[in-house]
Amino acid sequence: PGGLQLLPREMAGEVQSPLRGEVSGLRCGDPVFFRHAKAGEICEHFLCLEVIRDNAIVDKWMTYRGEGQCFLG
């Protein structure tokens, strides 16, 4: 959410990302989600991606995992 910033020497990580700031209704320890930098990272974990328009699911796109593929080394 807007109003949060990464700490000066920290970057977004897979496990924890220290943030600073105040957001109404958000408390210390609440989860905050980041957008993936690369589509492949998120596609490793899901069978499909849901396409949302105007708060409704309008389509589903299969990921390579959903098509039975695995490209992890």
Side-chain angles (χ1 to χ4, degrees):
L4 295 178
Q5 297 176 332
L6 292 166
L7 297 181
R9 288 187 221 124
E10 297 286 346
M11 298 300 292
E14 293 183 17
V15 178
Q16 63 185 21
S17 298
L19 299 168
R20 155 186 351 205
E22 292 185 27
V23 176
S24 177
L26 191 65
R27 297 183 319 224
C28 185
D30 285 347
V32 175
F33 296 92
F34 292 82
R35 183 181 302 196
H36 281 269
K38 299 180 281 185
E41 292 176 2
I42 196 167
C43 291
E44 293 172 2
H45 303 284
F46 297 96
L47 300 179
C48 70
L49 302 176
E50 295 178 341
V51 181
I52 299 174
R53 183 177 300 127
D54 297 326
N55 294 322
I57 298 171
V58 296
D59 201 356
K60 291 186 180 185
W61 297 340
M62 296 298 290
T63 65
Y64 53 84
R65 180 179 179 150
E67 293 178 345
Q69 305 295 319
C70 181
F71 302 105
L72 301 175

